Amino acid sequence: GKPASVVEIAVPVDQLDGGSITLAALLVTLGFCASRGEARRLVAGGGVRVDDVKQQDPLVKLGRGRHLVNSGKRNWAWAVVP
């Protein structure tokens, strides 16, 4: 389940491409993965949820807003896309 407190992390504007960020890039920004390659493998393995929906495409784009991202039991964050 979701922890009582979830850290909020703002995505730097310079990491956006046309106002959005790919899930793989976001996982690196959040510190969940060391590289985009690792992030792609994690997503492909079914290990990542965004707003409680399991993700299958590491290149899906997330736009402006707050997205609850989690991977496993320990990695939870609100990603804030400006």
Side-chain angles (χ1 to χ4, degrees), residues 12-63:
V13 175
D14 64 10
Q15 296 193 14
L16 301 181
D17 179 24
S20 64
I21 186 170
T22 65
L23 180 56
L26 180 62
L27 290 169
V28 175
T29 297
L30 295 176
F32 289 7
C33 296
S35 68
R36 289 183 190 199
E38 182 188 331
R40 282 196 292 271
R41 288 189 294 277
L42 186 64
V43 174
V48 178
R49 289 176 174 267
V50 177
D51 298 321
D52 274 339
V53 178
K54 189 179 282 187
Q55 300 298 307
Q56 264 118 23
D57 181 4
L59 298 180
V60 68
K61 295 193 168 191
L62 298 173

Side-chain angles (χ1 to χ4, degrees), residues 7 72 76:
V7 66
W76 288 81

Side-chain angles (χ1 to χ4, degrees), residues 69-80:
V69 183
N70 83 289
S71 156
K73 289 193 170 80
R74 285 182 205 83
N75 288 331
W76 288 81
W78 282 104
V80 182

